[in-house]
Amino acid sequence: MSKQQRRTTQKASHSRSYPRGVGLDFRKLAGLTLFSYIDHHGVTVRAEAPPSELAVAVARHFESMEVDEEACIGGFLSRLEGKTDYARKTAHFDGRAPPSIAKKRRRSKWAARPGEQVAAKVTRTDENGSWILASVQRFYGDTETYDVQDEDDTSKLIRLPWSHVMRLSSGAEGCFQKGTECMAIFPETTSFYRAKVSKSPVWKLSGTTPMIQEVIVKFEDDEDEHQRTPHRRVPSRYVIPIPSQYFYEESEDVDLTPSTK
């Protein structure tokens, strides 16, 4: 390839010329919104691309998309009727995992902030009680690691990878239905133990926002002298999903079963 061809190719790949055929002006969107679109669709952009270039990349991708209008409308109506998880069934996956930079950007966006309480795994095993209540001191986006402090012992910092830190519930997610497996802080401790939601949570208004203030659970290995497991009330903030659900990456959920066709 000649120098002129290389210059032309480089200029085209980083073009900031907004496509005229796109009626939507993506340049008016916030940067985080553009990043969400880019991460979801796996759009290739430069790491140092400014917002104007991100908007052009999104617009060009949007312009190139082929949409089955009947499928979209039918899927939308089915979702409204509760018949199908439309977003899940229509998700596009082309066999390629998102670029590592996209994963890092998404994780940095949703990382816990300094001073925030989190659940932190401080042992190498998956035994009950290996997750404890801690507070974030710092998140390192380049290495995807945290510095946290044990809420019971603030004398030292603990360096943990991304997969060993979980943000706590706000009470508004509504993801803990009766029968859901979870982890919760056992009363009068700061450790999380495996449990199961034993009663349907009750929603209450906090201002204008529906919230679940507490979750009733049954802990594993919590039988009394009569071999009965008591119901225990735990503030919803201290009830979290099991790790395999919390750290689930849809892009890694690839069906490897050979086709029978």
Side-chain angles (χ1 to χ4, degrees):
M1 181 181 289
S2 67
K3 291 183 179 180
Q4 180 63 33
Q5 288 176 317
R6 283 198 295 270
R7 284 196 296 268
T8 301
T9 301
Q10 183 177 20
K11 181 178 179 181
S13 61
H14 304 324
S15 173
R16 297 186 184 181
S17 175
Y18 199 85
R20 295 182 179 180
V22 178
L24 297 173
D25 191 351
F26 289 99
R27 292 168 293 190
K28 294 182 179 180
L29 297 181
L32 288 179
T33 304
L34 294 172
F35 280 137
S36 296
Y37 182 102
I38 289 168
D39 291 345
H40 179 77
H41 292 284
V43 180
T44 302
V45 295
R46 297 185 300 148
E48 68 278 12
S52 58
E53 188 175 320
L54 297 179
V56 171
V58 168
R60 292 189 179 280
H61 178 270
F62 183 80
E63 184 181 38
S64 66
M65 292 177 65
E66 295 184 2
V67 179
D68 186 331
E69 295 181 359
E70 290 186 3
C72 285
I73 295 173
F76 176 72
L77 294 176
S78 294
R79 187 178 184 185
L80 290 180
E81 296 171 358
K83 293 181 179 179
T84 181
D85 185 351
Y86 174 65
R88 179 75 169 147
K89 290 185 178 298
T90 59
H92 171 70
F93 182 70
D94 61 4
R96 297 175 296 175
S100 58
I101 187 173
K103 283 189 176 182
K104 282 191 174 183
R105 189 187 300 121
R106 183 167 58 247
R107 289 178 174 179
S108 294
K109 175 183 174 182
W110 295 110
R113 304 307 176 193
E116 181 177 339
Q117 280 191 325
V118 295
K121 184 182 179 183
V122 293
T123 68
R124 294 178 181 273
T125 66
D126 292 322
E127 62 183 328
N128 243 346
S130 60
W131 290 80
I132 65 170
L133 188 64
S135 61
V136 172
Q137 302 302 303
R138 186 174 179 182
F139 174 72
Y140 301 89
D142 54 341
T143 58
E144 297 183 334
T145 55
Y146 286 94
D147 280 344
V148 303
Q149 282 184 335
D150 183 345
E151 289 287 51
D152 279 346
D153 181 8
T154 59
S155 62
K156 61 181 180 180
L157 289 176
I158 308 172
R159 179 69 56 85
L160 296 173
W162 166 270
S163 59
H164 283 208
V165 174
M166 297 169 63
R167 301 185 73 175
L168 302 183
S169 168
S170 68
E173 297 89 352
C175 55
F176 296 112
Q177 304 302 317
K178 182 178 179 180
T180 302
E181 294 183 351
C182 60
M183 296 197 303
I185 286 185
F186 195 84
E188 300 182 4
T189 76
T190 56
S191 296
F192 290 84
Y193 292 87
R194 289 188 290 271
K196 181 176 290 187
V197 179
S198 55
K199 293 188 178 182
S200 297
V202 177
W203 290 87
K204 296 182 179 180
L205 282 179
S206 176
T208 58
T209 305
M211 303 282 285
I212 294 175
Q213 297 179 353
E214 63 180 11
V215 180
I216 300 177
V217 304
K218 285 186 176 182
F219 286 94
E220 285 188 7
D221 305 321
D222 188 31
E223 297 87 358
D224 58 20
E225 63 274 16
H226 303 293
Q227 300 301 307
R228 292 178 299 191
T229 303
H231 298 280
R232 295 188 183 272
R233 298 175 182 271
V234 181
S236 61
R237 176 172 175 77
Y238 300 130
V239 181
I240 58 178
I242 58 176
S244 61
Q245 293 178 345
Y246 183 90
F247 294 107
Y248 168 75
E249 292 271 5
E250 183 171 290
S251 61
E252 297 173 359
D253 184 15
V254 185
D255 185 2
L256 298 180
T257 305
S259 174
T260 57
K261 295 183 179 180

